[in-house]
Amino acid sequence: MTQNMNHLRVFLCPLFVLFCILTIIPSVYGRKLHRSCNKHHTSYGDSCNSTTIFDILCFGAKANGVSDDSKKLLAAWNGACKVDGGTLQIPSNHKFLIKPVTLQGPCMARVVLQIDGTLLAPSKIGSWSKSNLFQWLNFKWVQNVTIQGSGTIDGQGYNWWAPMKSKHTLDIKPTGLRFYASEDIVVRDIMIKNSPQVHLKFDNCGGVKVNNVTVSAPGNSPNTDGIHLQNTRDVEIMHSNIGTGDDCVSIQTGCSNVHIHHINCGPGHGISLGGLGKDKSIACVSDVLVEDSNIQNTLYGARIKTWQGGKGLVKNITFSNIQVANVNFPIVINQYYCDKSICKNQTGSVAIKEVNFDKISGSYTTQPIHLACSKEIPCTDVDLSDIQLKPTRRPLEGYQLQQALCYNSYGNSKGELVPSSLNYCLEKGGGGSIHQISRSYNELC
Ligand SMILES: *[C@@H]1O[C@H](CO)[C@@H](O)[C@H](O)[C@H]1NC(C)=O
Ligand SMILES: *[C@@H]1O[C@H](CO)[C@@H](O)[C@H](O)[C@H]1NC(C)=O
Ligand SMILES: *[C@@H]1O[C@H](CO)[C@@H](O)[C@H](O)[C@H]1NC(C)=O
Ligand SMILES: *[C@@H]1O[C@H](CO)[C@@H](O)[C@H](O)[C@H]1NC(C)=O
Ligand SMILES: *[C@@H]1O[C@H](CO)[C@@H](O)[C@H](O)[C@H]1NC(C)=O
């Protein structure tokens, strides 16, 4: 009897194993097999047999926020990337410590990264590899990727914010979440917080939608831009709360067709274009519309900044229907941008034309408007319409109320302007020579 059973086992088990290999491996190609033939898989749940949902827990993630789960994340990504309609799932109520990783495409089809739990960056600077300080979660060459969910991407950046004691880290601090050379990207609903430096960066991308996200870091954390765009076109950023230690949204060279609306910005440095033209570089930014947003308790509001000595052109930029509260400098064009106390004066400048500041109202703490355009190449077609800015009662410590400033800035004032000095701020016309200069700069872009 016993012998018969043994014979039966000897006979059946290899068959069963073969059956498992033939059925399971093809269906979850590229994914680690955690389910063996002995039915111990229930601890991973039934979702682990899905051919489209790649739950990081099914790949053996420890999910304790302490053990390194990077390889598990990569394995789940590789699975989701290889199937049609793959979802990489970061389940709720779990924390995953992830070291810097690159999630690379192209993938077979669209991929969803469903983040309901928390991804944590290493908090100790020493546990970052010195050769990879540029970013933490890096998406490269992906198309049609959506990041969504009620979870959090936590850069745990506080150790990076303190002044550096040792020199080896130079000025490089990692960006939190970055997309490089990618198309048709959606980031929605999630929270991104406490990045060592920039929180969400799009570099060389096209077709970007950011919707209903929260980006958060302390107001005194250095260089922690919320969303940073460079060489990126066709962007919509909307219905989001962004408060950090630097720009809420920063738009750099090579960006065009950017629409930002329904943003709550603050604390931070407001919504900025630039600094453009650093080290005599060529910068081109066009067709940016920022509207229907609130900016509060920030250093700047709507700002364009360029370095002296650059080339190129900024054109067709509109800031419309922006409510400011407690903003030091709500409206700024600064063509003398400098990150030290004194920078050398240089010839040449990124040209700026067709800028509308429309329906901007609320309270400022230092100066209602500051348009410091280049001495050689004036700003042209700058329009101010319906501006209503009143000083807050208490100027911030160390700042005194200043009069509106417009230097070498040509354009038209329309509607009611408060303070009334804004009516005399812009110079009229601009003359043929200015347009000629600006045309020649146009050709660079
Ligand atoms: C996964 O397993 C459950 C129950 O074990 C089953 O009902 C379901 O059909 C399986 N799904 C797939 C995609 O194999
Ligand atoms: C993204 O998906 C849409 C529709 O599913 C498709 O039309 C588009 O070409 C895809 N984009 C890329 C860059 O593959
Ligand atoms: C925005 O995101 C939050 C947090 O994930 C979610 O609860 C809410 O339903 C989202 N709102 C919309 C309109 O999608
Ligand atoms: C200016 O930019 C806006 C917003 O991106 C765009 O809709 C509009 O067509 C642009 N205007 C011109 C004249 O290019
Ligand atoms: C640069 O030029 C401005 C305006 O002409 C002048 O006020 C300023 O002193 C100069 N700065 C330096 C560092 O030369």
PDB file of all heavy atoms in Angstrom, residues 275-284 305-314 335-337 344-352 374 376-377 437 441 444-445:
ATOM      1  N   GLY A 275      16.273  80.326 -14.122  1.00  0.00           N
ATOM      2  CA  GLY A 275      17.171  81.218 -14.836  1.00  0.00           C
ATOM      3  C   GLY A 275      17.637  80.682 -16.179  1.00  0.00           C
ATOM      4  O   GLY A 275      18.126  79.563 -16.259  1.00  0.00           O
ATOM      5  N   LEU A 276      17.491  81.567 -17.184  1.00  0.00           N
ATOM      6  CA  LEU A 276      17.823  81.201 -18.553  1.00  0.00           C
ATOM      7  C   LEU A 276      19.101  81.902 -18.995  1.00  0.00           C
ATOM      8  O   LEU A 276      19.390  83.015 -18.565  1.00  0.00           O
ATOM      9  CB  LEU A 276      16.668  81.606 -19.471  1.00  0.00           C
ATOM     10  CG  LEU A 276      15.307  80.984 -19.159  1.00  0.00           C
ATOM     11  CD1 LEU A 276      14.199  81.681 -19.932  1.00  0.00           C
ATOM     12  CD2 LEU A 276      15.323  79.492 -19.481  1.00  0.00           C
ATOM     13  N   GLY A 277      19.841  81.239 -19.893  1.00  0.00           N
ATOM     14  CA  GLY A 277      21.011  81.861 -20.502  1.00  0.00           C
ATOM     15  C   GLY A 277      22.254  81.873 -19.633  1.00  0.00           C
ATOM     16  O   GLY A 277      23.149  82.684 -19.836  1.00  0.00           O
ATOM     17  N   LYS A 278      22.347  80.954 -18.687  1.00  0.00           N
ATOM     18  CA  LYS A 278      23.540  80.892 -17.846  1.00  0.00           C
ATOM     19  C   LYS A 278      24.776  80.541 -18.681  1.00  0.00           C
ATOM     20  O   LYS A 278      24.673  79.769 -19.642  1.00  0.00           O
ATOM     21  CB  LYS A 278      23.330  79.824 -16.756  1.00  0.00           C
ATOM     22  CG  LYS A 278      24.371  79.896 -15.668  1.00  0.00           C
ATOM     23  CD  LYS A 278      24.130  78.878 -14.573  1.00  0.00           C
ATOM     24  CE  LYS A 278      25.146  79.106 -13.465  1.00  0.00           C
ATOM     25  NZ  LYS A 278      25.040  78.119 -12.403  1.00  0.00           N
ATOM     26  N   ASP A 279      25.914  81.091 -18.315  1.00  0.00           N
ATOM     27  CA  ASP A 279      27.174  80.828 -19.023  1.00  0.00           C
ATOM     28  C   ASP A 279      27.038  81.074 -20.526  1.00  0.00           C
ATOM     29  O   ASP A 279      27.517  80.273 -21.347  1.00  0.00           O
ATOM     30  CB  ASP A 279      27.652  79.394 -18.766  1.00  0.00           C
ATOM     31  CG  ASP A 279      27.892  79.129 -17.293  1.00  0.00           C
ATOM     32  OD1 ASP A 279      28.301  80.089 -16.598  1.00  0.00           O
ATOM     33  OD2 ASP A 279      27.661  77.998 -16.842  1.00  0.00           O
ATOM     34  N   LYS A 280      26.386  82.152 -20.893  1.00  0.00           N
ATOM     35  CA  LYS A 280      26.225  82.565 -22.298  1.00  0.00           C
ATOM     36  C   LYS A 280      25.509  81.528 -23.156  1.00  0.00           C
ATOM     37  O   LYS A 280      25.721  81.437 -24.365  1.00  0.00           O
ATOM     38  CB  LYS A 280      27.590  82.914 -22.916  1.00  0.00           C
ATOM     39  CG  LYS A 280      28.348  83.940 -22.082  1.00  0.00           C
ATOM     40  CD  LYS A 280      29.523  84.521 -22.806  1.00  0.00           C
ATOM     41  CE  LYS A 280      30.138  85.621 -21.930  1.00  0.00           C
ATOM     42  NZ  LYS A 280      31.216  86.335 -22.555  1.00  0.00           N
ATOM     43  N   SER A 281      24.693  80.725 -22.568  1.00  0.00           N
ATOM     44  CA  SER A 281      23.996  79.690 -23.330  1.00  0.00           C
ATOM     45  C   SER A 281      22.784  80.280 -24.060  1.00  0.00           C
ATOM     46  O   SER A 281      22.329  81.379 -23.768  1.00  0.00           O
ATOM     47  CB  SER A 281      23.546  78.565 -22.392  1.00  0.00           C
ATOM     48  OG  SER A 281      22.676  79.076 -21.408  1.00  0.00           O
ATOM     49  N   ILE A 282      22.282  79.512 -25.043  1.00  0.00           N
ATOM     50  CA  ILE A 282      21.079  79.904 -25.783  1.00  0.00           C
ATOM     51  C   ILE A 282      19.869  79.303 -25.065  1.00  0.00           C
ATOM     52  O   ILE A 282      19.870  78.111 -24.744  1.00  0.00           O
ATOM     53  CB  ILE A 282      21.130  79.355 -27.225  1.00  0.00           C
ATOM     54  CG1 ILE A 282      22.326  79.957 -27.974  1.00  0.00           C
ATOM     55  CG2 ILE A 282      19.828  79.651 -27.974  1.00  0.00           C
ATOM     56  CD1 ILE A 282      22.514  79.410 -29.372  1.00  0.00           C
ATOM     57  N   ALA A 283      18.859  80.124 -24.834  1.00  0.00           N
ATOM     58  CA  ALA A 283      17.654  79.624 -24.166  1.00  0.00           C
ATOM     59  C   ALA A 283      16.428  79.986 -24.978  1.00  0.00           C
ATOM     60  O   ALA A 283      16.318  81.101 -25.489  1.00  0.00           O
ATOM     61  CB  ALA A 283      17.555  80.218 -22.764  1.00  0.00           C
ATOM     62  N   CYS A 284      15.516  79.051 -25.120  1.00  0.00           N
ATOM     63  CA  CYS A 284      14.282  79.299 -25.864  1.00  0.00           C
ATOM     64  C   CYS A 284      13.101  78.760 -25.066  1.00  0.00           C
ATOM     65  O   CYS A 284      13.074  77.579 -24.730  1.00  0.00           O
ATOM     66  CB  CYS A 284      14.311  78.564 -27.208  1.00  0.00           C
ATOM     67  SG  CYS A 284      15.755  78.942 -28.215  1.00  0.00           S
ATOM     68  N   LYS A 305      13.282  84.951 -15.117  1.00  0.00           N
ATOM     69  CA  LYS A 305      14.639  85.380 -14.756  1.00  0.00           C
ATOM     70  C   LYS A 305      15.652  84.873 -15.770  1.00  0.00           C
ATOM     71  O   LYS A 305      15.600  83.716 -16.185  1.00  0.00           O
ATOM     72  CB  LYS A 305      14.997  84.937 -13.339  1.00  0.00           C
ATOM     73  CG  LYS A 305      14.768  83.468 -13.080  1.00  0.00           C
ATOM     74  CD  LYS A 305      15.189  83.041 -11.667  1.00  0.00           C
ATOM     75  CE  LYS A 305      14.777  81.612 -11.391  1.00  0.00           C
ATOM     76  NZ  LYS A 305      15.383  80.982 -10.228  1.00  0.00           N
ATOM     77  N   THR A 306      16.545  85.765 -16.173  1.00  0.00           N
ATOM     78  CA  THR A 306      17.599  85.364 -17.111  1.00  0.00           C
ATOM     79  C   THR A 306      18.947  85.873 -16.586  1.00  0.00           C
ATOM     80  O   THR A 306      19.011  86.861 -15.864  1.00  0.00           O
ATOM     81  CB  THR A 306      17.371  85.952 -18.524  1.00  0.00           C
ATOM     82  OG1 THR A 306      17.578  87.367 -18.492  1.00  0.00           O
ATOM     83  CG2 THR A 306      15.959  85.657 -19.040  1.00  0.00           C
ATOM     84  N   TRP A 307      19.995  85.154 -16.964  1.00  0.00           N
ATOM     85  CA  TRP A 307      21.352  85.580 -16.604  1.00  0.00           C
ATOM     86  C   TRP A 307      21.832  86.583 -17.641  1.00  0.00           C
ATOM     87  O   TRP A 307      21.420  86.527 -18.805  1.00  0.00           O
ATOM     88  CB  TRP A 307      22.303  84.391 -16.621  1.00  0.00           C
ATOM     89  CG  TRP A 307      21.982  83.329 -15.623  1.00  0.00           C
ATOM     90  CD1 TRP A 307      21.006  82.379 -15.735  1.00  0.00           C
ATOM     91  CD2 TRP A 307      22.633  83.095 -14.381  1.00  0.00           C
ATOM     92  NE1 TRP A 307      21.008  81.576 -14.627  1.00  0.00           N
ATOM     93  CE2 TRP A 307      22.013  81.976 -13.778  1.00  0.00           C
ATOM     94  CE3 TRP A 307      23.696  83.707 -13.707  1.00  0.00           C
ATOM     95  CZ2 TRP A 307      22.400  81.469 -12.540  1.00  0.00           C
ATOM     96  CZ3 TRP A 307      24.090  83.197 -12.480  1.00  0.00           C
ATOM     97  CH2 TRP A 307      23.439  82.101 -11.904  1.00  0.00           C
ATOM     98  N   GLN A 308      22.723  87.451 -17.266  1.00  0.00           N
ATOM     99  CA  GLN A 308      23.341  88.322 -18.257  1.00  0.00           C
ATOM    100  C   GLN A 308      24.235  87.481 -19.168  1.00  0.00           C
ATOM    101  O   GLN A 308      24.825  86.499 -18.732  1.00  0.00           O
ATOM    102  CB  GLN A 308      24.203  89.372 -17.565  1.00  0.00           C
ATOM    103  CG  GLN A 308      23.407  90.373 -16.753  1.00  0.00           C
ATOM    104  CD  GLN A 308      24.316  91.493 -16.286  1.00  0.00           C
ATOM    105  OE1 GLN A 308      24.831  92.254 -17.088  1.00  0.00           O
ATOM    106  NE2 GLN A 308      24.496  91.583 -14.987  1.00  0.00           N
ATOM    107  N   GLY A 309      24.318  87.898 -20.447  1.00  0.00           N
ATOM    108  CA  GLY A 309      25.253  87.251 -21.365  1.00  0.00           C
ATOM    109  C   GLY A 309      24.662  86.109 -22.176  1.00  0.00           C
ATOM    110  O   GLY A 309      25.316  85.585 -23.076  1.00  0.00           O
ATOM    111  N   GLY A 310      23.416  85.732 -21.891  1.00  0.00           N
ATOM    112  CA  GLY A 310      22.809  84.631 -22.639  1.00  0.00           C
ATOM    113  C   GLY A 310      22.290  85.074 -23.998  1.00  0.00           C
ATOM    114  O   GLY A 310      22.417  86.239 -24.392  1.00  0.00           O
ATOM    115  N   LYS A 311      21.755  84.128 -24.731  1.00  0.00           N
ATOM    116  CA  LYS A 311      21.126  84.413 -26.032  1.00  0.00           C
ATOM    117  C   LYS A 311      19.814  83.635 -26.098  1.00  0.00           C
ATOM    118  O   LYS A 311      19.576  82.718 -25.323  1.00  0.00           O
ATOM    119  CB  LYS A 311      22.017  83.926 -27.166  1.00  0.00           C
ATOM    120  CG  LYS A 311      23.311  84.651 -27.355  1.00  0.00           C
ATOM    121  CD  LYS A 311      23.914  84.196 -28.689  1.00  0.00           C
ATOM    122  CE  LYS A 311      25.342  84.681 -28.859  1.00  0.00           C
ATOM    123  NZ  LYS A 311      26.275  84.031 -27.900  1.00  0.00           N
ATOM    124  N   GLY A 312      19.021  83.975 -27.138  1.00  0.00           N
ATOM    125  CA  GLY A 312      17.781  83.230 -27.317  1.00  0.00           C
ATOM    126  C   GLY A 312      16.566  84.094 -27.066  1.00  0.00           C
ATOM    127  O   GLY A 312      16.666  85.326 -27.070  1.00  0.00           O
ATOM    128  N   LEU A 313      15.451  83.462 -26.837  1.00  0.00           N
ATOM    129  CA  LEU A 313      14.197  84.208 -26.796  1.00  0.00           C
ATOM    130  C   LEU A 313      13.159  83.544 -25.888  1.00  0.00           C
ATOM    131  O   LEU A 313      12.964  82.327 -25.913  1.00  0.00           O
ATOM    132  CB  LEU A 313      13.639  84.289 -28.226  1.00  0.00           C
ATOM    133  CG  LEU A 313      12.322  85.032 -28.445  1.00  0.00           C
ATOM    134  CD1 LEU A 313      12.465  86.504 -28.094  1.00  0.00           C
ATOM    135  CD2 LEU A 313      11.893  84.877 -29.900  1.00  0.00           C
ATOM    136  N   VAL A 314      12.504  84.402 -25.116  1.00  0.00           N
ATOM    137  CA  VAL A 314      11.331  83.985 -24.343  1.00  0.00           C
ATOM    138  C   VAL A 314      10.148  84.716 -24.952  1.00  0.00           C
ATOM    139  O   VAL A 314      10.184  85.947 -25.043  1.00  0.00           O
ATOM    140  CB  VAL A 314      11.487  84.402 -22.866  1.00  0.00           C
ATOM    141  CG1 VAL A 314      10.205  84.166 -22.099  1.00  0.00           C
ATOM    142  CG2 VAL A 314      12.646  83.666 -22.219  1.00  0.00           C
ATOM    143  N   GLN A 335      16.399  90.374 -15.605  1.00  0.00           N
ATOM    144  CA  GLN A 335      17.409  89.947 -16.587  1.00  0.00           C
ATOM    145  C   GLN A 335      18.816  90.096 -16.038  1.00  0.00           C
ATOM    146  O   GLN A 335      19.794  90.014 -16.768  1.00  0.00           O
ATOM    147  CB  GLN A 335      17.221  90.722 -17.883  1.00  0.00           C
ATOM    148  CG  GLN A 335      15.834  90.443 -18.473  1.00  0.00           C
ATOM    149  CD  GLN A 335      15.834  90.408 -19.974  1.00  0.00           C
ATOM    150  OE1 GLN A 335      15.569  91.412 -20.630  1.00  0.00           O
ATOM    151  NE2 GLN A 335      16.151  89.244 -20.540  1.00  0.00           N
ATOM    152  N   TYR A 336      18.895  90.307 -14.735  1.00  0.00           N
ATOM    153  CA  TYR A 336      20.193  90.421 -14.062  1.00  0.00           C
ATOM    154  C   TYR A 336      20.316  89.329 -13.014  1.00  0.00           C
ATOM    155  O   TYR A 336      20.917  89.510 -11.969  1.00  0.00           O
ATOM    156  CB  TYR A 336      20.331  91.811 -13.424  1.00  0.00           C
ATOM    157  CG  TYR A 336      20.211  92.917 -14.446  1.00  0.00           C
ATOM    158  CD1 TYR A 336      18.963  93.406 -14.827  1.00  0.00           C
ATOM    159  CD2 TYR A 336      21.348  93.430 -15.069  1.00  0.00           C
ATOM    160  CE1 TYR A 336      18.839  94.393 -15.797  1.00  0.00           C
ATOM    161  CE2 TYR A 336      21.235  94.418 -16.041  1.00  0.00           C
ATOM    162  CZ  TYR A 336      19.988  94.896 -16.397  1.00  0.00           C
ATOM    163  OH  TYR A 336      19.873  95.868 -17.359  1.00  0.00           O
ATOM    164  N   TYR A 337      19.736  88.193 -13.294  1.00  0.00           N
ATOM    165  CA  TYR A 337      19.709  87.125 -12.301  1.00  0.00           C
ATOM    166  C   TYR A 337      21.129  86.682 -11.975  1.00  0.00           C
ATOM    167  O   TYR A 337      21.991  86.583 -12.848  1.00  0.00           O
ATOM    168  CB  TYR A 337      18.885  85.932 -12.804  1.00  0.00           C
ATOM    169  CG  TYR A 337      18.790  84.834 -11.782  1.00  0.00           C
ATOM    170  CD1 TYR A 337      18.050  85.014 -10.619  1.00  0.00           C
ATOM    171  CD2 TYR A 337      19.481  83.637 -11.951  1.00  0.00           C
ATOM    172  CE1 TYR A 337      17.988  84.033  -9.656  1.00  0.00           C
ATOM    173  CE2 TYR A 337      19.418  82.644 -10.992  1.00  0.00           C
ATOM    174  CZ  TYR A 337      18.668  82.851  -9.843  1.00  0.00           C
ATOM    175  OH  TYR A 337      18.627  81.871  -8.891  1.00  0.00           O
ATOM    176  N   LYS A 344      29.419  89.503 -12.553  1.00  0.00           N
ATOM    177  CA  LYS A 344      30.005  90.421 -13.536  1.00  0.00           C
ATOM    178  C   LYS A 344      28.945  90.858 -14.544  1.00  0.00           C
ATOM    179  O   LYS A 344      28.149  90.045 -14.996  1.00  0.00           O
ATOM    180  CB  LYS A 344      31.130  89.693 -14.293  1.00  0.00           C
ATOM    181  CG  LYS A 344      32.493  90.241 -13.942  1.00  0.00           C
ATOM    182  CD  LYS A 344      33.631  89.891 -14.895  1.00  0.00           C
ATOM    183  CE  LYS A 344      33.479  88.796 -15.888  1.00  0.00           C
ATOM    184  NZ  LYS A 344      34.733  88.149 -16.219  1.00  0.00           N
ATOM    185  N   ASN A 345      28.939  92.137 -14.932  1.00  0.00           N
ATOM    186  CA  ASN A 345      28.061  92.578 -16.013  1.00  0.00           C
ATOM    187  C   ASN A 345      28.566  91.998 -17.328  1.00  0.00           C
ATOM    188  O   ASN A 345      29.746  92.000 -17.592  1.00  0.00           O
ATOM    189  CB  ASN A 345      28.068  94.111 -16.105  1.00  0.00           C
ATOM    190  CG  ASN A 345      27.157  94.738 -15.067  1.00  0.00           C
ATOM    191  OD1 ASN A 345      26.255  94.070 -14.546  1.00  0.00           O
ATOM    192  ND2 ASN A 345      27.378  95.997 -14.769  1.00  0.00           N
ATOM    193  N   GLN A 346      27.652  91.487 -18.138  1.00  0.00           N
ATOM    194  CA  GLN A 346      28.045  90.897 -19.409  1.00  0.00           C
ATOM    195  C   GLN A 346      27.163  91.468 -20.497  1.00  0.00           C
ATOM    196  O   GLN A 346      26.044  91.870 -20.251  1.00  0.00           O
ATOM    197  CB  GLN A 346      27.810  89.393 -19.353  1.00  0.00           C
ATOM    198  CG  GLN A 346      28.398  88.771 -18.127  1.00  0.00           C
ATOM    199  CD  GLN A 346      28.961  87.419 -18.414  1.00  0.00           C
ATOM    200  OE1 GLN A 346      29.402  87.149 -19.530  1.00  0.00           O
ATOM    201  NE2 GLN A 346      28.969  86.560 -17.427  1.00  0.00           N
ATOM    202  N   THR A 347      27.677  91.461 -21.741  1.00  0.00           N
ATOM    203  CA  THR A 347      26.844  91.951 -22.844  1.00  0.00           C
ATOM    204  C   THR A 347      25.987  90.803 -23.356  1.00  0.00           C
ATOM    205  O   THR A 347      26.347  89.637 -23.245  1.00  0.00           O
ATOM    206  CB  THR A 347      27.694  92.510 -24.002  1.00  0.00           C
ATOM    207  OG1 THR A 347      28.588  91.477 -24.408  1.00  0.00           O
ATOM    208  CG2 THR A 347      28.455  93.733 -23.584  1.00  0.00           C
ATOM    209  N   GLY A 348      24.854  91.185 -23.945  1.00  0.00           N
ATOM    210  CA  GLY A 348      23.946  90.191 -24.498  1.00  0.00           C
ATOM    211  C   GLY A 348      22.968  89.698 -23.463  1.00  0.00           C
ATOM    212  O   GLY A 348      23.212  89.800 -22.253  1.00  0.00           O
ATOM    213  N   SER A 349      21.839  89.201 -23.956  1.00  0.00           N
ATOM    214  CA  SER A 349      20.792  88.761 -23.037  1.00  0.00           C
ATOM    215  C   SER A 349      19.793  87.914 -23.806  1.00  0.00           C
ATOM    216  O   SER A 349      19.640  88.062 -25.011  1.00  0.00           O
ATOM    217  CB  SER A 349      20.101  89.993 -22.467  1.00  0.00           C
ATOM    218  OG  SER A 349      19.044  89.589 -21.651  1.00  0.00           O
ATOM    219  N   VAL A 350      19.134  87.044 -23.114  1.00  0.00           N
ATOM    220  CA  VAL A 350      18.006  86.331 -23.698  1.00  0.00           C
ATOM    221  C   VAL A 350      16.905  87.381 -23.912  1.00  0.00           C
ATOM    222  O   VAL A 350      16.576  88.109 -22.974  1.00  0.00           O
ATOM    223  CB  VAL A 350      17.498  85.245 -22.726  1.00  0.00           C
ATOM    224  CG1 VAL A 350      16.294  84.520 -23.307  1.00  0.00           C
ATOM    225  CG2 VAL A 350      18.613  84.272 -22.378  1.00  0.00           C
ATOM    226  N   ALA A 351      16.396  87.493 -25.139  1.00  0.00           N
ATOM    227  CA  ALA A 351      15.348  88.496 -25.402  1.00  0.00           C
ATOM    228  C   ALA A 351      14.021  88.025 -24.807  1.00  0.00           C
ATOM    229  O   ALA A 351      13.758  86.819 -24.717  1.00  0.00           O
ATOM    230  CB  ALA A 351      15.212  88.723 -26.902  1.00  0.00           C
ATOM    231  N   ILE A 352      13.207  89.002 -24.409  1.00  0.00           N
ATOM    232  CA  ILE A 352      11.893  88.670 -23.830  1.00  0.00           C
ATOM    233  C   ILE A 352      10.822  89.482 -24.535  1.00  0.00           C
ATOM    234  O   ILE A 352      10.917  90.709 -24.603  1.00  0.00           O
ATOM    235  CB  ILE A 352      11.875  88.973 -22.315  1.00  0.00           C
ATOM    236  CG1 ILE A 352      12.883  88.077 -21.587  1.00  0.00           C
ATOM    237  CG2 ILE A 352      10.470  88.772 -21.742  1.00  0.00           C
ATOM    238  CD1 ILE A 352      12.949  88.312 -20.086  1.00  0.00           C
ATOM    239  N   SER A 374      16.890  93.879 -19.751  1.00  0.00           N
ATOM    240  CA  SER A 374      18.270  94.062 -20.187  1.00  0.00           C
ATOM    241  C   SER A 374      18.495  95.476 -20.713  1.00  0.00           C
ATOM    242  O   SER A 374      17.616  96.079 -21.336  1.00  0.00           O
ATOM    243  CB  SER A 374      18.566  93.021 -21.271  1.00  0.00           C
ATOM    244  OG  SER A 374      19.584  93.482 -22.123  1.00  0.00           O
ATOM    245  N   GLU A 376      20.604  96.328 -23.065  1.00  0.00           N
ATOM    246  CA  GLU A 376      20.771  96.330 -24.526  1.00  0.00           C
ATOM    247  C   GLU A 376      19.531  95.878 -25.268  1.00  0.00           C
ATOM    248  O   GLU A 376      19.212  96.375 -26.331  1.00  0.00           O
ATOM    249  CB  GLU A 376      21.896  95.367 -24.930  1.00  0.00           C
ATOM    250  CG  GLU A 376      23.238  95.719 -24.389  1.00  0.00           C
ATOM    251  CD  GLU A 376      24.009  94.455 -24.093  1.00  0.00           C
ATOM    252  OE1 GLU A 376      23.866  93.897 -22.993  1.00  0.00           O
ATOM    253  OE2 GLU A 376      24.732  93.998 -24.992  1.00  0.00           O
ATOM    254  N   ILE A 377      18.865  94.861 -24.757  1.00  0.00           N
ATOM    255  CA  ILE A 377      17.698  94.310 -25.449  1.00  0.00           C
ATOM    256  C   ILE A 377      16.484  94.437 -24.545  1.00  0.00           C
ATOM    257  O   ILE A 377      16.271  93.627 -23.647  1.00  0.00           O
ATOM    258  CB  ILE A 377      17.936  92.826 -25.795  1.00  0.00           C
ATOM    259  CG1 ILE A 377      19.276  92.679 -26.519  1.00  0.00           C
ATOM    260  CG2 ILE A 377      16.795  92.286 -26.656  1.00  0.00           C
ATOM    261  CD1 ILE A 377      19.693  91.245 -26.712  1.00  0.00           C
ATOM    262  N   ILE A 437      16.257  93.613 -33.302  1.00  0.00           N
ATOM    263  CA  ILE A 437      17.088  92.808 -32.405  1.00  0.00           C
ATOM    264  C   ILE A 437      16.333  91.543 -32.017  1.00  0.00           C
ATOM    265  O   ILE A 437      16.838  90.433 -32.116  1.00  0.00           O
ATOM    266  CB  ILE A 437      17.444  93.589 -31.115  1.00  0.00           C
ATOM    267  CG1 ILE A 437      18.303  94.793 -31.456  1.00  0.00           C
ATOM    268  CG2 ILE A 437      18.168  92.691 -30.141  1.00  0.00           C
ATOM    269  CD1 ILE A 437      18.441  95.780 -30.319  1.00  0.00           C
ATOM    270  N   TYR A 441      17.112  87.491 -32.648  1.00  0.00           N
ATOM    271  CA  TYR A 441      17.169  86.485 -31.578  1.00  0.00           C
ATOM    272  C   TYR A 441      16.181  85.351 -31.830  1.00  0.00           C
ATOM    273  O   TYR A 441      16.410  84.213 -31.470  1.00  0.00           O
ATOM    274  CB  TYR A 441      16.907  87.157 -30.224  1.00  0.00           C
ATOM    275  CG  TYR A 441      18.175  87.667 -29.614  1.00  0.00           C
ATOM    276  CD1 TYR A 441      18.874  88.710 -30.212  1.00  0.00           C
ATOM    277  CD2 TYR A 441      18.714  87.069 -28.484  1.00  0.00           C
ATOM    278  CE1 TYR A 441      20.060  89.169 -29.685  1.00  0.00           C
ATOM    279  CE2 TYR A 441      19.905  87.518 -27.944  1.00  0.00           C
ATOM    280  CZ  TYR A 441      20.578  88.571 -28.548  1.00  0.00           C
ATOM    281  OH  TYR A 441      21.768  89.006 -28.021  1.00  0.00           O
ATOM    282  N   LEU A 444      17.447  82.221 -33.489  1.00  0.00           N
ATOM    283  CA  LEU A 444      18.220  81.234 -32.726  1.00  0.00           C
ATOM    284  C   LEU A 444      17.322  80.124 -32.170  1.00  0.00           C
ATOM    285  O   LEU A 444      17.795  79.051 -31.805  1.00  0.00           O
ATOM    286  CB  LEU A 444      18.921  81.916 -31.552  1.00  0.00           C
ATOM    287  CG  LEU A 444      20.091  82.845 -31.886  1.00  0.00           C
ATOM    288  CD1 LEU A 444      20.509  83.597 -30.636  1.00  0.00           C
ATOM    289  CD2 LEU A 444      21.251  82.058 -32.452  1.00  0.00           C
ATOM    290  N   CYS A 445      16.029  80.399 -32.092  1.00  0.00           N
ATOM    291  CA  CYS A 445      15.150  79.449 -31.401  1.00  0.00           C
ATOM    292  C   CYS A 445      14.251  78.668 -32.370  1.00  0.00           C
ATOM    293  O   CYS A 445      14.108  79.024 -33.505  1.00  0.00           O
ATOM    294  CB  CYS A 445      14.282  80.188 -30.384  1.00  0.00           C
ATOM    295  SG  CYS A 445      15.245  80.786 -28.997  1.00  0.00           S
TER     296      CYS A 445
END
